[in-house]
Amino acid sequence: MNPSSWTCSFLFIVILRWSVVVVSGQLPPTGQALLEQNADRVTRLPGQPPVTFKQYAGYITVNESHGRALFYWFFEAMDCPQKKPLLLWLNGGPGCSSIGYGNLEELGPFVAVKGKTELRFNNKAWNKAANLLFLESPVGVGFSYSNTSTDLKDLGDTLTAQDSYTFLLNWFKRFPQYKSHEFYISGESYAGHYVPQLSEVIFDKNKCLPKQDRINFKGFIIGNALVDDEMDQTGMIDYAWDHAVISDRVYNDVKKNCNFSQSKPTPACDTAMGAYFEVYKIIDMYSLYTPSCVEAKANSTQRAHMLGNISPQIFSMHKEWHKKPTGYDPCQPQYTESYMNNPKVQRALHANTTKISYPWRHCSDAIGYWQDSPDSILPVIKKLVAGGLRVWVFSGDTDGRIPVTSTRMSLQKLGLKTVQEWTPWYSKSQVGGWTIQYDGLMFVTIRGAGHQVPTFKPKEALQIIKHFLSNKTLPTVPF
């Protein structure tokens, strides 16, 4: 072949590849974006099983003057990533890592192995359904950091949403091939605040931006989510009594002495709630019927705070509200923390580049007073439902922390019209749970799942996210 023929062939191939990418809805990265993507590419983690999909991890700066940067870990979909939506997952706390819980113990493609610097493959990972993005937010959580120490004292719901939005804008600059993809947000627990609040920022900003600058945001899904303090706490007590966790005396004492619509508890309520929380020192509040870890030492981080260790008056009336007994495998967080604190792992992830002065933990002790947290997030949810976003709420029905009782009571406060009444849905031949379809919102229960639904019911959780992303109702007959 002569040089001119070779050149023409080469150009044809380049144009053909570009055309395939553009037709598929992706703009290929070039220039600075390509350099930054390549720098963030994770080629192989210590002890990682071989996979065919790409993964990236690193930092996105969200405030130049303060030196605030958020750490992310991103997995392309297992197949056809150019055709799959982009899904962001957030855990709550406030102060807990989406990488520690959501990624490595629930729905990500890898799970840490006991006693080894090793990962096993999760064949029910959500990147079977979507391109999957995990974010450690706000700064002070996991590997995310600020060079301005006072930032850790100024955190709250508002700043978290603003920084997360800035993160997304800058992440799309680094990964422009995903800008046109349908974008969804998901999360659990205190992400019942994070997810709707970030959704609202995107929803409002999109109204003011030209079409080419908007995020292609379609909806959100939240699980066992803190959305309304009064209903969450009322339902928590009712659920505990109804599931034979607390005695009649304790139940009646709480009902008599506590008014969960008030922001400050009385001494009598504190005493009654103290008796209520005693039982959760011996069983797992977050999964009533699974064992607790017996390997953890007394000073272990095993009993981490899924809902934070910050001022209790913000979210509840009692300090024990925040304590997080672990899920199942009940000792899994130990393996995760050991893996994430391995220097070789951190280098492979391009993490901890500033040499943070504290170890990586599931839930941060570095965050100070939490500045703002509304008593109810229901007005935000109602606004976004009215705005036409796809909204699903799911609830594992063996969670005692934000039980299905609480979520049902909270959703009733929205006042939405019921489109389809309480209906069983199926995972093959078995009932997976129940659904109730409201006008603009789908509620799904998961039978036998605790607080972290993908941990306890991975097959059913994957089924739910696939149906949410494709905007299909769950099957109502065995299949």
Side-chain angles (χ1 to χ4, degrees):
M1 181 181 292
N2 61 49
S4 60
S5 297
W6 182 90
T7 302
C8 290
S9 299
F10 175 77
L11 288 173
F12 175 77
I13 292 169
V14 169
I15 292 169
L16 180 62
R17 287 183 176 176
W18 178 276
S19 299
V20 169
V21 171
V22 171
V23 168
S24 70
Q26 286 192 316
L27 292 174
T30 58
Q32 185 63 26
L34 183 58
L35 291 173
E36 291 178 356
Q37 274 190 42
N38 288 337
D40 284 358
R41 177 76 185 275
V42 178
T43 53
R44 189 71 176 268
L45 291 162
Q48 178 202 304
V51 293
T52 57
F53 55 83
K54 294 179 182 179
Q55 55 177 319
Y56 300 83
Y59 286 97
I60 298 287
T61 299
V62 295
N63 187 299
E64 292 279 358
S65 62
H66 283 225
R68 287 205 304 270
L70 298 182
F71 184 78
Y72 79 91
W73 194 347
F74 170 62
F75 302 92
E76 287 190 345
M78 290 188 189
D79 60 85
C80 301
Q82 71 276 10
K83 296 180 180 179
K84 297 285 176 64
L86 174 65
L87 180 67
L88 171 67
W89 174 271
L90 300 172
N91 276 91
C96 296
S97 168
S98 303
I99 285 172
Y101 284 115
N103 180 16
L104 289 171
E105 295 174 19
E106 298 186 60
L107 55 113
F110 304 126
V111 181
V113 175
K114 177 181 180 180
K116 301 177 181 179
T117 305
E118 190 174 309
L119 298 169
R120 63 175 174 84
F121 183 68
N122 173 17
N123 64 5
K124 301 299 181 187
W126 285 13
N127 67 327
K128 283 191 169 184
N131 298 286
L132 196 52
L133 178 60
F134 296 93
L135 175 64
E136 291 193 312
S137 176
V139 292
V141 174
F143 294 125
S144 295
Y145 68 88
S146 176
N147 292 329
T148 306
S149 58
T150 54
D151 280 351
L152 300 180
K153 300 178 182 178
D154 295 332
L155 297 172
D157 282 15
T158 301
L159 184 60
T160 299
Q162 291 172 349
D163 276 1
S164 296
Y165 179 69
T166 303
F167 165 86
L168 286 173
L169 295 180
N170 292 336
W171 190 87
F172 280 120
K173 291 177 183 177
R174 188 172 298 181
F175 291 86
Q177 67 266 41
Y178 289 101
K179 184 70 185 294
S180 62
H181 286 226
E182 290 191 349
F183 176 65
Y184 299 88
I185 312 176
S186 54
E188 69 190 6
S189 199
Y190 194 78
H193 281 221
Y194 289 169
V195 172
Q197 288 166 336
L198 175 57
S199 298
E200 183 181 31
V201 173
I202 298 170
F203 181 79
D204 289 344
K205 295 285 188 182
N206 275 353
K207 292 178 179 178
C208 307
L209 293 172
K211 187 174 182 180
Q212 67 270 18
D213 294 332
R214 298 172 193 164
I215 294 173
N216 189 17
F217 182 48
K218 299 298 183 181
F220 65 87
I221 179 169
I222 48 177
N224 291 82
L226 188 81
V227 293
D228 185 88
D229 284 359
E230 180 183 3
M231 294 298 98
D232 288 338
Q233 294 173 89
T234 300
M236 185 178 74
I237 303 304
D238 290 351
Y239 181 90
W241 180 81
D242 194 50
H243 284 71
V245 171
I246 57 174
S247 68
D248 293 354
R249 180 187 60 79
V250 170
Y251 175 76
N252 290 328
D253 282 350
V254 172
K255 287 293 185 179
K256 176 183 177 181
N257 294 298
C258 296
N259 182 347
F260 293 124
S261 65
Q262 297 178 347
S263 59
K264 190 172 178 61
T266 63
C269 178
D270 261 343
T271 300
M273 289 297 290
Y276 161 83
F277 278 110
E278 276 296 311
V279 72
Y280 290 120
K281 294 178 180 179
I282 56 174
I283 64 171
D284 188 342
M285 185 184 200
Y286 287 65
S287 180
L288 295 189
Y289 307 115
T290 53
S292 298
C293 180
V294 296
E295 298 178 12
K297 297 179 181 178
N299 62 351
S300 168
T301 59
Q302 184 65 26
R303 299 182 76 80
H305 345 281
M306 189 66 165
L307 285 148
N309 59 352
I310 305 162
S311 175
Q313 273 68 37
I314 301 172
F315 319 111
S316 69
M317 306 174 71
H318 198 281
K319 62 185 179 181
E320 295 293 335
W321 181 256
H322 304 292
K323 290 194 174 177
K324 164 65 175 73
T326 57
Y328 186 83
D329 174 349
C331 302
Q332 185 63 48
Q334 292 181 17
Y335 322 147
T336 302
E337 290 196 6
S338 176
Y339 188 84
M340 292 299 289
N341 281 298
N342 186 303
K344 292 181 180 179
V345 172
Q346 294 180 5
R347 283 195 296 273
L349 287 172
H350 321 114
N352 200 15
T353 54
T354 59
K355 303 302 177 187
I356 299 169
S357 61
Y358 45 84
W360 184 94
R361 295 184 63 182
H362 282 78
C363 298
S364 174
D365 290 329
I367 294 175
Y369 183 81
W370 197 255
Q371 294 295 325
D372 62 294
S373 175
D375 294 337
S376 180
I377 216 77
L378 294 177
V380 177
I381 294 175
K382 192 165 186 175
K383 168 186 172 179
L384 297 175
V385 167
L389 291 177
R390 187 180 313 160
V391 179
W392 282 32
V393 178
F394 63 91
S395 180
D397 65 9
T398 65
D399 175 24
R401 172 54 187 86
I402 307 178
V404 65
T405 308
S406 297
T407 304
R408 293 173 77 177
M409 293 168 70
S410 295
L411 293 179
Q412 287 170 8
K413 286 180 72 173
L414 287 172
L416 301 174
K417 179 184 177 182
T418 300
V419 175
Q420 185 179 45
E421 263 295 351
W422 201 249
T423 304
W425 66 272
Y426 283 82
S427 177
K428 293 193 175 179
S429 61
Q430 299 296 321
V431 173
W434 280 264
T435 65
I436 181 167
Q437 185 176 351
Y438 297 102
D439 185 14
L441 185 147
M442 177 70 78
F443 176 54
V444 183
T445 75
I446 300 89
R447 195 162 63 100
H451 189 70
Q452 296 155 269
V453 169
T455 297
F456 301 103
K457 292 290 182 176
K459 180 181 71 173
E460 290 81 356
L462 180 59
Q463 182 180 349
I464 288 168
I465 198 64
K466 284 181 175 179
H467 280 73
F468 166 74
L469 293 172
S470 61
N471 198 23
K472 295 179 180 177
T473 58
L474 289 157
T476 57
V477 294
F479 59 94

